[in-house]
Amino acid sequence: EPEVTQTPSHQVTQMGQEVILRCVPISNHLYFYWYRQILGQKVEFLVSFYNNEISEKSEIFDDQFSVERPDGSNFTLKIRSTKLEDSAMYFCASRGRFYGYTFGSGTRLTVV
Amino acid sequence: DAKTTQPPSMDCAEGRAANLPCNHSTISGNEYVYWYRQIHSQGPQYIIHGLKNNETNEMASLIITEDRKSSTLILPHATLRDTAVYYCIVRVAMNYGGSQGNLIFGKGTKLSVKP
């Protein structure tokens, strides 16, 4: 069964550093998403991406965040200057035109 | 904010049916009911969705009331591996009116299946 692959599974970074979280969506999917989940809290929507541009973003997705699909297969989330409160699980998801979302297994980001 | 209300937790005996309720009294005519689950800290997993008819797949059944204000997810023979947080989500059909159909998660129901 096709999978969404996320790397790394765990990333530790110092406060103020830039991080890039990587995702390989399912190959024929058209819509791409990032969500995050702070420990013990809800899964929160960050951003959706379609046709090489952001289609919707939440209030969480401020100027410190950016997304890119650099080569037609990878989908990345960049956090420019990490804060302690950015520590969370980050989930990438993709979907085709008519089916439900497929989520990756997540990247656990720890900011120290 | 999520448009659904679910009990925070439920227990179920292994091998028995697990019936997870969801209230969505403000659901619109163009909104579907989706169910996802999250096992421990893994990514959410799609289970089933429906508009107004009852639906069944290899994982579960979805019963939607006639007025569409509530629904029930049924796991017919729960196993220990079904222990997870179950999310009921309402959202417009994909691509309706230009919407990308973003999922908005609530707190869900933590289902504990016990031996």
Side-chain angles (χ1 to χ4, degrees):
Chain A
E1 190 169 325
E3 290 184 343
V4 173
T5 305
Q6 291 188 243
T7 55
S9 57
H10 191 184
Q11 172 110 32
V12 181
T13 188
Q14 289 204 326
M15 192 169 52
Q17 295 296 304
E18 174 183 286
V19 293
I20 297 176
L21 309 183
R22 302 181 191 280
C23 170
V24 179
I26 293 173
S27 61
N28 60 350
H29 281 186
L30 304 173
Y31 304 91
F32 312 107
Y33 307 84
W34 283 101
Y35 285 76
R36 79 171 186 189
Q37 186 174 32
I38 295 171
L39 187 64
Q41 297 188 25
K42 296 187 296 186
V43 178
E44 300 175 291
F45 167 73
L46 293 179
V47 65
S48 58
F49 192 86
Y50 170 71
N51 202 24
N52 277 325
E53 60 183 20
I54 290 174
S55 47
E56 196 167 340
K57 60 185 180 180
S58 71
E59 290 179 354
I60 303 168
F61 194 89
D62 61 22
D63 292 344
Q64 293 299 310
F65 292 88
S66 62
V67 289
E68 202 175 36
R69 188 159 159 79
D71 55 12
S73 62
N74 291 287
F75 180 50
T76 62
L77 174 70
K78 182 193 293 185
I79 309 175
R80 259 179 274 282
S81 177
T82 50
K83 303 188 275 272
L84 294 176
E85 54 265 37
D86 293 327
S87 294
M89 282 289 286
Y90 287 81
F91 295 109
C92 173
S94 70
R95 70 172 176 90
R97 187 176 292 278
F98 298 114
Y99 195 60
Y101 288 46
T102 301
F103 284 81
S105 54
T107 294
R108 179 173 299 283
L109 176 66
T110 303
V111 182
V112 297
Chain B
D1 285 340
K3 299 183 186 178
T4 62
T5 304
Q6 299 177 252
S9 64
M10 290 182 64
D11 290 342
C12 178
E14 189 179 18
R16 305 297 295 267
N19 297 283
L20 293 97
C22 179
N23 287 319
H24 30 80
S25 58
T26 60
I27 192 169
S28 302
N30 62 346
E31 288 182 317
Y32 284 69
V33 180
Y34 283 78
W35 283 84
Y36 283 76
R37 73 180 182 183
Q38 188 177 25
I39 297 173
H40 194 44
S41 295
Q42 297 177 23
Q45 177 190 23
Y46 167 80
I47 301 173
I48 199 168
H49 74 282
L51 183 63
K52 54 183 178 181
N53 297 321
N54 298 336
E55 302 287 344
T56 296
N57 63 21
E58 65 278 4
M59 289 182 70
S61 295
L62 174 61
I63 309 297
I64 303 174
T65 57
E66 195 168 337
D67 63 8
R68 301 209 324 124
K69 293 186 177 182
S70 66
S71 60
T72 301
L73 178 75
I74 301 171
L75 307 178
H77 305 287
T79 70
L80 299 178
R81 287 177 295 179
D82 292 322
T83 292
V85 179
Y86 287 77
Y87 300 99
C88 169
I89 301 169
V90 298
R91 53 165 254 216
V92 295
M94 297 178 192
N95 302 317
Y96 179 88
S99 165
Q100 300 305 321
N102 300 329
L103 294 175
I104 305 299
F105 288 83
K107 295 183 180 179
T109 295
K110 183 174 172 56
L111 175 69
S112 298
V113 180
K114 300 183 184 299

